[in-house]
């Protein structure tokens, strides 16, 4: 084995959805700081993802940008074929289901189309992408799936979030509660994998807003510590960005 091939074989491989901005973009940025990471950043519109393009320019081949709309099931099914040549025989160590949407509504004002779009993006897309990537995850060393959930997916914790309250963002909260259950089902089906559902905190992004409590860099630093230190003993857990266990 040449030294270049040996170095590639030791790389840790990541697939991150919703990488054009916010938490997804910062995950890519922080992962690229370690030369041992090979990052595949998936976004809806690579041609307009200028921040990702800037990162790619300085990434020395460690960043690959691929197109993926997580609400497009055909695109999800095709994705393993798109990323297999990038992985070049390596498995996928980490799948990060990060892409998500939030639309404000309540239980009695929700619009069916909004609820379905939210479930499609925040729950069904991550579930189908995980299934599509299962053979690549099986071939990976870490076999880790990180579902970026929300504290708003917690029924036990409902009401504890400033500005939201127990009635607000019903469709979103339902989609994240379902994502949490998907994570638990995944742990039961794949005991050799590490499946984590994680709340990133209230973060200053387009989704979180400027009044949010956390800088995106701090949340992502915590998320990466939690996910890279997680073992199968942590699989099926609902964790916060700082590692605290959340109530379901
Ligand atoms: N910020 C917070 O306070 C907070 C709190 C709890 C949980 N979260 C969760 O954290 C994750 C990231 O949120 P964020 O704060 O970074 O939000 P953000 O700044 O609004 O970014 C959302 C990302 O998701 C992508 N996305 C949305 N729909 C997509 C689709 N159908 N296909 C592919 N990509 C799609 C967006 O891509 P485009 O650029 O193409 O729109 C964007 O890259 C979400 O799952 C969110 O629910 C955030």
């Amino acid at each position: 084995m040449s030294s270049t091939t040996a170095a590639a074989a030791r790389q840790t491989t990541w697939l991150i959805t919703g990488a054009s901005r916010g938490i997804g973009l910062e995950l890519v940025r922080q992962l690229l700081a370690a030369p041992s990471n090979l990052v595949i950043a998936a976004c809806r519109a690579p041609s307009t993802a200028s921040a990702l393009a800037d990162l790619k320019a300085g990434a020395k081949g460690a960043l690959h940008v691929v197109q993926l709309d997580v609400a497009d099931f055909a695109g999800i099914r095709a994705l393993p074929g798109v990323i297999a040549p990038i992985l070049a025989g390596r498995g996928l160590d980490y799948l990060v289901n990060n892409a998500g949407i939030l639309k404000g509504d309540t239980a009695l004002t929700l619009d069916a189309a909004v609820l379905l779009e939210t479930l499609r993006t925040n729950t069904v897309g991550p579930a189908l992408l995980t299934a599509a990537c299962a053979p690549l995850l099986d071939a990976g060393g870490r076999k880790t799936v990180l579902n970026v959930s929300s504290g708003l997916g917690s029924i036990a914790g409902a009401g504890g979030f400033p500005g939201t309250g127990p009635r607000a963002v019903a469709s979103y909260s339902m989609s994240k509660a379902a994502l949490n259950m998907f994570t638990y089902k995944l742990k039961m089906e794949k005991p050799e994998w590490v499946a984590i559902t994680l709340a990133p905190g209230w973060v200053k992004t387009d989704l979180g807003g400027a009044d949010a409590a956390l800088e995106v860099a701090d949340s992502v630093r915590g998320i990466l510590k939690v996910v890279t230190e997680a073992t199968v003993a942590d699989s099926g857990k609902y964790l916060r960005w700082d590692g605290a266990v959340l109530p379901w």
Side-chain angles (χ1 to χ4, degrees):
M1 194 185 279
S2 75
S3 60
T4 316
T5 315
R10 283 195 302 273
Q11 274 183 314
T12 304
T13 56
W14 297 77
L15 171 60
I16 298 168
T17 67
S20 59
R21 54 194 169 93
I23 292 168
L25 178 66
E26 183 62 20
L27 281 165
V28 174
R29 191 194 315 278
Q30 291 193 18
L31 285 170
L32 289 176
S36 54
N37 290 321
L38 177 79
V39 183
I40 303 173
C43 65
R44 266 196 287 212
S47 61
T48 56
S50 53
L52 267 183
D54 290 347
L55 287 180
K56 189 171 159 57
K60 299 184 182 137
L63 174 60
H64 297 258
V65 179
V66 298
Q67 196 279 333
L68 181 70
D69 180 336
V70 300
D72 168 15
F73 301 158
I76 287 175
R77 281 191 287 271
L79 195 77
V82 174
I83 66 173
I86 299 169
L87 293 170
R90 287 164 294 198
L92 183 62
D93 289 304
Y94 293 91
L95 166 62
V96 183
N97 284 307
N98 164 75
I101 55 169
L102 181 156
K103 310 230 167 147
D105 56 14
T106 70
L108 295 181
T109 65
L110 65 78
D111 177 83
V114 169
L115 173 58
L116 288 170
E117 183 196 2
T118 306
L119 288 169
R120 190 175 179 106
T121 306
N122 294 1
T123 316
V124 185
L128 290 187
L129 183 60
T130 304
C133 290
L136 292 171
L137 286 160
D138 276 331
R142 292 284 303 169
K143 306 182 199 313
T144 297
V145 178
L146 176 67
N147 290 323
V148 181
S149 180
S150 166
L152 294 168
S154 167
I155 294 175
F161 296 91
T164 55
R167 286 192 316 175
V169 286
S171 291
Y172 179 79
S173 303
M174 291 159 70
S175 74
K176 295 297 190 180
L179 183 67
N180 289 351
M181 181 58 88
F182 167 69
T183 311
Y184 184 75
K185 292 292 179 187
L186 187 59
K187 164 231 162 62
M188 298 308 285
E189 189 167 349
K190 281 288 197 183
E192 70 277 25
W193 286 14
V194 180
I196 303 284
T197 189
L198 181 143
W202 187 26
V203 189
K204 286 179 188 146
T205 62
D206 294 337
L207 188 150
D211 294 336
L214 274 172
E215 298 298 332
V216 66
D218 294 331
S219 169
V220 165
R221 210 170 292 117
I223 292 170
L224 288 177
K225 183 171 188 316
V226 169
V227 71
T228 55
E229 292 179 359
T231 69
V232 283
D234 301 305
S235 194
K237 287 185 180 170
Y238 180 23
L239 300 174
R240 206 169 58 186
W241 65 279
D242 59 359
V245 176
L246 290 172
W248 298 102

